[in-house]
Amino acid sequence: MKKLILPVVFVLLAGFHSKPKNLPENVVEVRGGAWPINLERNADGVGTYSLIYRNQEVMTGVSLDTLTFSNVEQLKYFAKGLDRLKAGSNGEILTYKDYTLGRADKKFEGIWYLLRYQFGSTSFQQPEADIMGKTIKGL
């Protein structure tokens, strides 16, 4: 009888302790597919967020870049930049300490945004910017 109970107890204890605790939490998938953009809450426990996107300057392979925001205030400042560009005009560029955010109007496609961070960049359209802005304001 002891031989049957002991393995069951070990399996139950292993099940309780094997749950990973501090994993990144996907706040929103802004865009999926071949050119994904995700906004995630980091697992560091201090409230940092990351915008993870596929670098559009690398065409021969897949290179994901990460723009990290050290707190919610910086993330909300990013959302304010998106709002500012939405109300702005074609060609306007906002320059931040670590990245730039620009607006480009395309005749038949609407408003596009270009995010440049270090050696990479990504572009996204107004509906995707709206998803990010709405999600960030809800945090």
Side-chain angles (χ1 to χ4, degrees):
M1 186 70 166
K2 289 182 184 178
K3 291 181 180 179
L4 291 175
I5 294 175
L6 193 57
V8 172
V9 171
F10 282 131
V11 170
L12 290 175
L13 289 175
F16 287 119
H17 293 291
S18 67
K19 295 179 184 176
K21 293 189 177 182
N22 290 326
L23 292 177
E25 176 187 343
N26 191 10
V27 176
V28 66
E29 181 179 336
V30 178
R31 177 175 64 205
W35 301 96
I37 299 176
N38 291 319
L39 180 62
E40 293 184 354
R41 179 178 293 125
N42 294 341
D44 57 6
V46 294
T48 60
Y49 291 84
S50 293
L51 187 65
I52 302 169
Y53 57 91
R54 182 173 172 190
N55 184 353
Q56 292 183 340
E57 293 182 15
V58 178
M59 301 303 284
T60 59
V62 177
S63 172
L64 294 177
D65 283 345
T66 303
L67 174 59
T68 303
F69 301 94
S70 61
N71 53 38
V72 178
E73 288 78 26
Q74 284 189 355
L75 190 62
K76 290 188 178 192
Y77 196 64
F78 176 79
K80 287 180 185 178
L82 289 174
D83 288 343
R84 169 69 179 95
L85 288 176
K86 182 178 180 178
S89 59
N90 185 25
E92 190 171 348
I93 298 174
L94 300 177
T95 304
Y96 298 92
K97 179 183 173 190
D98 296 326
Y99 61 94
T100 61
L101 192 57
R103 174 182 165 156
D105 295 351
K106 295 186 179 180
K107 188 172 184 178
F108 297 109
E109 297 180 31
I111 300 172
W112 281 80
Y113 297 94
L114 178 64
L115 172 66
R116 291 188 155 290
Y117 174 63
Q118 292 179 345
F119 305 109
S121 67
T122 190
S123 58
F124 49 93
Q125 291 181 295
Q126 185 61 54
E128 295 157 344
D130 292 339
I131 291 170
M132 282 190 277
K134 182 179 177 183
T135 303
I136 293 168
K137 289 174 185 173
L139 295 176

